[in-house]
């Protein structure tokens, strides 16, 4: 069977290294290919006038969910933990001044939300939300309690594994990414209907935070490390950007 000119060109480029000027030759042969270099679109005014996050905007307890909604002299009920890590770009460089917002269920698996009808009790000393900002190296940390699993009512007996929600803001409101962190060793991760919508096992593994004994505080709180990669092949899976690029 005779090959057309396009098939012969593809065969030549696949079967041996392309000689100098080959790309230009293909462009001449195929007008549908780009004829000019890519042009970066300038950022719009709304993108350029977004918020600038500095540590001064944080309250003294914003990054401590065990205390930031607690009554005087009280603290949230549940296993105390530290979650820490870095926000990284595709080259592994830390991203400074990124605002991280977190929210989660309490130690019984219930959110402080009027539409959460789970029968677990609310903790009067736990609000379930906080925020922090990355430092010059892209590092962040916060204290909280380990949330519990809770039933997912879409089917008869589905449960969500323990998890913490993350929202990461860049230099503009349009640069917001949302993901979830799970805990190492939780058997419900593999059974979760929401987790199982992620087709890539490596992407799921990147959402699971390992225990970090080096950052654990003796007689106080167990630590977990969760790094967040914004772009590239190792990018964290983001709910509002499923392609992960």
């Amino acid at each position: 069977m005779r090959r057309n000119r396009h098939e012969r060109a593809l065969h030549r480029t696949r079967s041996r290294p392309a000689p100098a000027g080959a790309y230009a030759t293909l462009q001449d042969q195929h007008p549908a290919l780009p004829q000019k270099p890519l042009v970066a679109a300038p950022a719009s005014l709304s993108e350029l006038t977004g918020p600038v996050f500095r540590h001064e905007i944080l309250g003294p307890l914003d990054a401590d969910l065990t205390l930031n909604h607690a009554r005087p002299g009280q603290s949230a009920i549940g296993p105390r933990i530290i979650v820490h890590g870095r926000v990284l770009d595709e080259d592994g460089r830390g991203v400074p001044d990124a605002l991280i917002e977190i929210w989660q269920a309490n130690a019984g698996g219930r959110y402080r939300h009027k539409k959460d009808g789970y029968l677990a009790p609310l903790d009067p000393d736990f609000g379930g939300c906080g925020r922090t900002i990355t430092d010059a190296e892209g590092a962040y940390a916060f204290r909280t309690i380990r949330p519990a699993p809770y039933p997912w009512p879409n089917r008869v007996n589905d449960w969500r594994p323990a998890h913490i929600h993350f929202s990461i803001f860049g230099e503009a409101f349009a640069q917001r990414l949302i993901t979830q962190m799970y805990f190492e060793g939780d058997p419900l991760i593999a059974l979760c209907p929401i987790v199982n919508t992620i087709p890539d096992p490596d992407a799921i593994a990147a959402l699971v935070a390992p225990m970090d004994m080096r950052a654990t505080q003796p007689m106080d709180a167990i630590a977990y490390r969760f790094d967040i990669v914004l772009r590239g092949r190792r990018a964290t899976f983001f709910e509002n950007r499923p392609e992960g690029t």
Side-chain angles (χ1 to χ4, degrees):
M1 180 181 296
R2 296 181 61 187
R3 293 174 175 168
N4 62 33
R5 184 170 56 180
H6 177 66
E7 290 173 331
R8 291 197 302 271
L10 286 177
H11 176 73
R12 288 195 300 271
T13 57
R14 289 170 178 168
S15 59
R16 65 178 184 273
Y23 182 62
T25 301
L26 284 176
Q27 281 183 320
D28 294 338
Q29 294 175 354
H30 302 283
L33 293 175
Q35 301 296 311
K36 296 181 180 180
L38 296 177
V39 177
S44 67
L45 182 62
S46 63
E47 293 173 322
L48 295 174
T49 56
V52 177
F53 302 116
R54 295 292 182 266
H55 291 264
E56 292 77 13
I57 73 171
L58 297 178
L61 297 178
D62 280 7
D64 190 342
L65 281 68
T66 68
L67 295 176
N68 62 8
H69 283 79
R71 296 166 293 179
Q74 303 296 316
S75 65
I77 297 171
R80 296 162 59 85
I81 64 172
I82 297 166
V83 177
H84 75 108
R86 297 179 70 203
V87 176
L88 305 167
D89 66 15
E90 67 270 31
D91 296 318
R93 296 183 295 250
V95 177
D97 299 325
L99 175 65
I100 300 175
E101 297 177 333
I102 57 253
W103 65 99
Q104 63 171 90
N106 66 17
R110 185 171 176 181
Y111 289 93
R112 184 176 288 278
H113 192 283
K114 62 182 180 181
K115 291 187 176 181
D116 189 341
Y118 183 34
L119 54 80
L122 287 172
D123 179 355
D125 297 306
F126 185 70
C129 59
R131 61 181 184 168
T132 187
I133 296 177
T134 58
D135 66 13
E137 302 299 321
Y140 75 91
F142 62 90
R143 285 176 167 266
T144 185
I145 54 92
R146 178 163 173 159
Y150 57 81
W152 195 57
N154 294 49
R155 297 193 296 194
V156 176
N157 192 28
D158 284 332
W159 289 74
R160 299 252 31 233
H163 60 279
I164 298 176
H165 299 267
F166 281 70
S167 167
I168 304 98
F169 279 102
E171 296 177 349
F173 284 119
Q175 299 173 348
R176 186 192 187 204
L177 297 172
I178 300 170
T179 192
Q180 298 183 31
M181 183 203 92
Y182 301 94
F183 293 87
E184 180 182 41
D186 189 339
L188 288 173
I189 296 172
L191 303 176
C192 177
I194 294 178
V195 173
N196 286 327
T197 63
I198 303 173
D200 183 359
D202 290 337
I204 295 174
L207 299 178
V208 179
M211 185 171 61
D212 184 357
M213 290 303 297
R214 291 179 300 178
T216 292
Q217 298 294 314
M219 306 300 292
D220 183 4
I222 293 175
Y224 293 85
R225 184 179 182 103
F226 184 55
D227 291 334
I228 301 167
V229 182
L230 300 181
R231 295 177 294 274
R233 289 182 296 176
R234 298 185 301 110
T236 301
F237 182 88
F238 296 107
E239 299 166 20
N240 56 331
R241 196 183 64 184
E243 72 276 11
T245 57

